[in-house]
């Protein structure tokens, strides 16, 4: 997999990346200097997490667009749309923090409701742009079939992870039963938002949390290409990995395992179960996933010439 000169990387996305990196520093300072708490967590924690995530997301797309082979104007404009949509999202989140109130699920006032609708629109636009770039890069110019698989499957799983965010904006059963007043949607399942959570991430430790599959799925965009880079780097020490078909099959196994894990943690969250307290059913499903992955990886490690001889 090639790491081309950064001068070839998508310029608007690189500008957005720098802006989000700066926002990461500023929001980290907010965590230290501002002692306000919202829903049980430091008020600057959410924009800090979003800034980190968007920095990584934008940087990855800026690099991936160097593999574009067709429709250069469509790719450039779609990447620019992602940068603009991400900027609007962060402005809304940070603006609400400065006001001392929630950005997500907040419809307490007409202004808050308008901000939340704008955020919903920007994320919808970003999701559409994600899949448009995915279509553009289906016919990218890649070094080999392993690179193509890593990028294409990473884009697909990442798009699914982004789409899972829709589950959080749907009204909960309790909101539908009692009527929507100041909140619509939630990231927790089975408990109210703002309860005990894991360090740094804030993911619920008392109920399900839909932020987990959203986060895990979204960052498949980085995980699969990084895995391939690691496999390629290891090829000099592990002769078997020098076979590009072995690397491609391992990437596909990893993508299948990632998809299975994404489905599992989504199912776990929807059942109102904390990530840290899986029940026997969840553990059993996870064990089956690990076993299936191990068997598939073992088969993937068989050199291509051996497979052809077996046929």
């Amino acid at each position: 997999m090639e790491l081309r000169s950064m001068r070839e990387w998508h310029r608007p996305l690189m500008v957005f990346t720098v802006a989000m990196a700066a926002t990461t520093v500023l929001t980290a300072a907010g965590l230290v200097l501002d002692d306000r708490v919202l829903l049980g967590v430091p008020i600057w924690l959410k924009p800090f997490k979003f800034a980190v995530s968007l920095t990584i997301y934008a940087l990855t797309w800026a690099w991936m667009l160097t593999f574009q082979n067709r429709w250069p104007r469509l790719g450039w404009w779609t990447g620019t749309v992602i940068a603009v949509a991400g900027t609007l999202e962060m402005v809304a989140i940070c603006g609400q923090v400065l006001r001392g109130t929630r950005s997500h699920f907040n419809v307490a006032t007409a202004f808050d409701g308008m901000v939340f609708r704008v955020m919903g629109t920007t994320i919808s636009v970003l999701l559409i742009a994600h899949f448009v770039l995915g279509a553009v890069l289906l016919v990218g110019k890649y070094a080999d079939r392993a690179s193509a698989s890593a990028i294409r499957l990473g884009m697909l799983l990442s798009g699914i992870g982004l789409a899972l965010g829709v589950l959080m904006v749907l009204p909960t059963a309790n909101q539908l039963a009692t009527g929507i007043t100041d909140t619509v949607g939630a990231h927790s399942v089975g408990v109210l938002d703002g309860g005990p959570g894991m360090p740094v991430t804030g993911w619920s430790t008392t109920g399900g949390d839909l932020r987990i599959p959203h986060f895990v799925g979204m960052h498949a965009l980085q995980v699969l290409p990084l895995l391939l880079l690691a496999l390629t780097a290891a090829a000099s020490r592990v002769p078997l990995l020098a076979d590009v078909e072995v690397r491609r099959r391992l990437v596909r196994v990893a993508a299948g395992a990632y998809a299975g894990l994404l489905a599992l943690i989504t199912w776990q969250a929807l059942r109102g179960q904390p990530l840290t307290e899986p029940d026997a059913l969840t553990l059993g499903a996870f064990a089956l996933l690990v076993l299936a992955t191990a068997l598939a990886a073992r088969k993937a490690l068989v050199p291509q010439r051996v497979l052809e001889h077996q046929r």
Side-chain angles (χ1 to χ4, degrees):
M1 181 170 289
E2 301 175 66
L3 291 176
R4 303 181 184 183
S5 168
M6 293 186 71
R7 287 178 296 181
E8 300 180 42
W9 294 23
H10 190 276
R11 187 66 59 83
L13 279 170
M14 288 302 294
V15 171
F16 178 57
T17 298
V18 172
M20 289 301 97
T23 303
T24 299
V25 174
L26 292 174
T27 52
L31 285 169
V32 175
L33 301 175
D34 191 339
D35 60 2
R36 288 179 299 165
V37 173
L38 184 64
L39 291 179
V41 297
I43 198 168
W44 285 100
L45 182 59
K46 176 172 285 187
F48 171 77
K49 292 189 295 184
F50 267 75
V52 172
S53 186
L54 285 172
T55 298
I56 299 169
Y57 182 76
L59 185 65
T60 306
W61 271 126
W63 163 65
M64 283 185 173
L65 278 168
T66 64
F67 297 103
Q68 186 176 356
N69 192 37
R70 297 182 187 175
W71 312 301
R73 290 181 65 84
L74 176 61
W76 190 90
W77 279 109
T78 306
T80 303
V81 165
I82 286 179
V84 172
T87 299
L88 292 174
E89 186 78 2
M90 283 304 298
V91 167
I93 293 172
C94 292
Q96 290 293 74
V97 167
L98 291 173
R99 294 180 65 234
T101 189
R102 299 169 296 146
S103 51
H104 289 75
F105 320 125
N106 186 0
V107 292
T109 68
F111 181 79
D112 293 326
M114 181 271 293
V115 171
F116 187 43
R117 287 191 296 274
V118 168
M119 292 174 64
T121 300
T122 58
I123 285 300
S124 297
V125 169
L126 189 148
L127 178 60
I128 293 170
H130 179 104
F131 281 108
V132 170
L133 285 187
V136 167
L137 290 178
L138 279 177
V139 289
K141 46 184 179 181
Y142 303 108
D144 50 51
R145 295 175 67 187
S147 300
S149 291
I151 291 177
R152 290 167 180 167
L153 293 171
M155 290 187 299
L156 174 61
L157 290 170
S158 180
I160 293 171
L162 281 168
L164 287 172
V166 172
L167 296 174
M168 291 184 273
V169 301
L170 300 175
T172 66
N174 185 61
Q175 290 167 356
L176 291 173
T178 61
I180 296 172
T181 54
D182 61 350
T183 302
V184 56
H187 54 71
S188 297
V189 179
V191 295
L192 295 176
D193 286 353
M198 297 171 61
V200 183
T201 63
W203 295 338
S204 177
T205 55
T206 56
D209 200 316
L210 293 168
R211 292 175 296 183
I212 300 172
H214 181 58
F215 172 86
V216 171
M218 178 177 174
H219 290 292
L221 195 67
Q222 293 82 39
V223 172
L224 292 182
L226 284 173
L227 171 65
L228 179 59
L229 286 172
L231 292 174
T232 304
S236 60
R237 298 185 299 277
V238 183
L240 188 58
L241 295 178
D243 186 338
V244 68
E245 282 303 304
V246 169
R247 297 200 302 272
R248 182 179 69 89
R249 292 198 299 270
L250 286 173
V251 165
R252 289 189 169 187
V253 169
Y258 206 98
L261 179 63
L262 182 58
L264 178 60
I265 59 178
T266 302
W267 178 54
Q268 183 182 15
L270 289 171
R271 289 188 293 138
Q273 186 180 113
L275 181 68
T276 52
E277 297 181 16
D279 62 12
L281 198 57
T282 301
L283 289 173
F286 180 70
L288 288 174
L289 176 62
V290 171
L291 178 61
T293 301
L295 293 174
R298 181 182 178 184
K299 185 174 182 180
L301 286 168
V302 177
Q304 183 67 21
R305 63 180 182 276
V306 175
L307 289 176
E308 291 173 353
H309 177 72
Q310 289 175 348
R311 295 193 188 101

